[in-house]
Amino acid sequence: MIDTKKMFLFIFILTAPIELLAQGGSSEYKDGMTLKFDSAGKKYIRILTWGNFWARYTNANPGTSIGGFEKKNWTDFSLRQFRLLTYSQLSPRYLILADIGIDNQSFSSGGSAGGGNSGNGGDNFSGTLGKKPMIYLHELWNEYTILPDKDYKTGSQKNFSLYIGTGLHYWMGISRMSTASSANYLAVDVPIYNWPLVDASDQFGRQLGIYLKGNLDRMSYRWAVNKPFSVRNPSADFPNGSSEYQYAVDNNADGNLSTTGYFSWQFLEKENNMLPYTTGTYVGTKKVFNIGAGYYFQHNGTTTQQSGIAGAPLINHNIRLFSADIFADIPFGPKSKTGQSLLTRPITITILVRNI
């Protein structure tokens, strides 16, 4: 019989150095592979790739089964995430980014529908198995600089900057944790409720639309108007007498546009907002203390049934989401030969208010 505590300790020892290296960054890898198109390095294409590999031991709830067999516990290995991201600065004012990848491939889930031709799910199997995960497009957006952060000639920092972009993008509210980077999580993972609409009216936190972003003094801002994805048309009815009729049964009911934004005041060192992904920890390389707030709104974005009777009329509701958060990443303790603190103490506090 496997000792659960020893198993968890083994997994932590096995994976902790890898996690710290990924978050701190390799001196050889730095910011990815960069191909320069001019001698000054102002025109380039940059390629980054990363992945998360998990080894797990799981104690299951009573009645849990896998493949029709009841399981009390199991050990498995999985690919939590894989990303291949590339962005190119084709001119001083124009940037384009593309991001593809997979999520959550394990021995029994995360694969293509039916498990692919060799999924062994049978001709009539409509679920998913673990084989042949689908690589899908996470983001594809391009951006034009209206007012840059730095003067192109002198390199001096400006007090106000403005960028505009469009596409399938991640420049969303409602909080810092709603656009967390998977390359530098503070913990092993982040809870899915950081994305309150995930895969409902968005594509894993992304939507199609137009965004504005930039800096105003010490405030970093992003704001977007988007077209949420339709989810179910027509809305499904709950059966007669169902107790679930008051739950939302449809998203993007009327097909209205949504607006979203996030605004953060940076008291100490400023963070780079060239890309939308927020950092989980800088591992002693930066001293950061921010207070932020954000929102998401869509008129008639969801519906409920008027009663529990099948075919009952649907009632439209606005989606209103608000949040406020505090993020601090403060280095402390001894420093390395390069002057980098060997210890850091990050903390994130997020308050979410949801009103449908």
Side-chain angles (χ1 to χ4, degrees):
M1 185 70 178
I2 298 177
D3 188 299
T4 305
K5 293 182 179 179
K6 290 182 179 179
M7 175 62 73
F8 277 123
L9 178 61
F10 167 74
I11 293 172
F12 175 78
I13 294 172
L14 181 68
T15 59
I18 300 173
E19 185 74 14
L20 291 175
L21 176 62
Q23 293 185 351
S26 166
S27 59
E28 298 176 352
Y29 189 65
K30 293 184 178 179
D31 294 325
M33 182 176 67
T34 302
L35 304 176
K36 298 179 180 179
F37 298 148
D38 62 3
S39 58
K42 294 182 179 181
K43 297 180 181 180
Y44 60 86
I45 182 170
R46 183 165 293 162
I47 302 171
L48 301 95
T49 184
W50 65 93
N52 297 39
F53 175 78
W54 280 7
R56 301 180 296 185
Y57 176 79
T58 304
N59 276 326
N61 291 324
T64 299
S65 64
I66 298 178
F69 295 92
E70 186 174 348
K71 292 284 186 178
K72 294 182 179 179
N73 53 63
W74 65 85
T75 301
D76 75 317
F77 307 96
S78 66
L79 295 176
R80 171 62 182 89
Q81 290 176 328
F82 162 73
R83 298 288 186 271
L84 177 61
L85 183 147
T86 177
Y87 63 93
S88 180
Q89 192 79 51
L90 299 178
S91 77
R93 292 187 180 271
Y94 180 73
L95 179 142
I96 184 169
L97 177 144
D99 180 12
I100 62 173
I102 67 168
D103 295 283
N104 304 319
Q105 182 188 18
S106 73
F107 72 101
S108 65
S109 63
S112 58
N117 293 331
S118 59
N120 307 322
D123 294 338
N124 298 321
F125 182 72
S126 60
T128 60
L129 295 173
K131 296 180 181 179
K132 301 179 180 178
M134 180 182 68
I135 293 181
Y136 69 96
L137 182 68
H138 284 69
E139 295 170 72
L140 179 59
W141 47 267
N142 56 172
E143 179 181 280
Y144 182 78
T145 303
I146 299 176
L147 297 171
D149 283 305
K150 293 183 178 181
D151 187 276
Y152 289 133
K153 294 182 179 180
T154 65
S156 60
Q157 192 75 32
K158 292 189 174 183
N159 193 52
F160 176 68
S161 62
L162 175 62
Y163 301 79
I164 184 171
T166 183
L168 178 63
H169 68 86
Y170 204 31
W171 293 101
M172 305 282 288
I174 59 174
S175 74
R176 180 186 186 90
M177 297 301 292
S178 298
T179 53
S181 170
S182 60
N184 46 40
Y185 289 151
L186 170 59
V188 175
D189 205 347
V190 290
I192 198 67
Y193 55 72
N194 286 340
W195 299 269
L197 300 174
V198 63
D199 278 338
S201 55
D202 63 37
Q203 180 171 294
F204 205 69
R206 284 80 168 171
Q207 288 185 345
L208 293 160
I210 300 174
Y211 68 85
L212 302 174
K213 61 105 170 180
N215 293 288
L216 174 59
D217 195 16
R218 303 199 70 83
M219 183 182 74
S220 175
Y221 69 89
R222 60 179 71 183
W223 182 87
V225 55
N226 299 320
K227 182 68 171 179
F229 290 94
S230 60
V231 176
R232 188 179 295 138
N233 187 23
S235 300
D237 293 326
F238 289 114
N240 188 21
S242 171
S243 61
E244 298 179 329
Y245 72 91
Q246 291 182 334
Y247 295 139
V249 295
D250 183 35
N251 286 275
N252 196 24
D254 284 356
N256 295 311
L257 298 176
S258 67
T259 63
T260 184
Y262 179 70
F263 310 87
S264 176
W265 190 267
Q266 305 175 95
F267 290 91
L268 301 177
E269 292 186 62
K270 289 186 176 182
E271 297 185 278
N272 190 324
N273 71 343
M274 180 180 181
L275 302 180
Y277 322 110
T278 51
T279 298
T281 176
Y282 288 98
V283 199
T285 62
K286 212 173 184 69
K287 192 173 183 179
V288 178
F289 176 65
N290 299 346
I291 295 179
Y295 84 99
Y296 178 94
F297 175 79
Q298 185 189 2
H299 179 65
N300 287 347
T302 191
T303 60
T304 56
Q305 282 184 281
Q306 193 173 39
S307 68
I309 300 174
L314 299 175
I315 305 172
N316 293 331
H317 305 274
N318 297 334
I319 297 179
R320 298 185 183 93
L321 304 173
F322 304 93
S323 79
D325 54 39
I326 299 173
F327 174 74
D329 194 359
I330 309 297
F332 67 98
K335 295 184 177 181
S336 66
K337 294 181 180 180
T338 62
Q340 175 181 331
S341 294
L342 299 178
L343 301 173
T344 185
R345 180 170 292 173
I347 182 172
T348 303
I349 300 173
T350 302
I351 301 172
L352 169 64
V353 178
R354 179 167 185 168
N355 176 25
I356 296 182

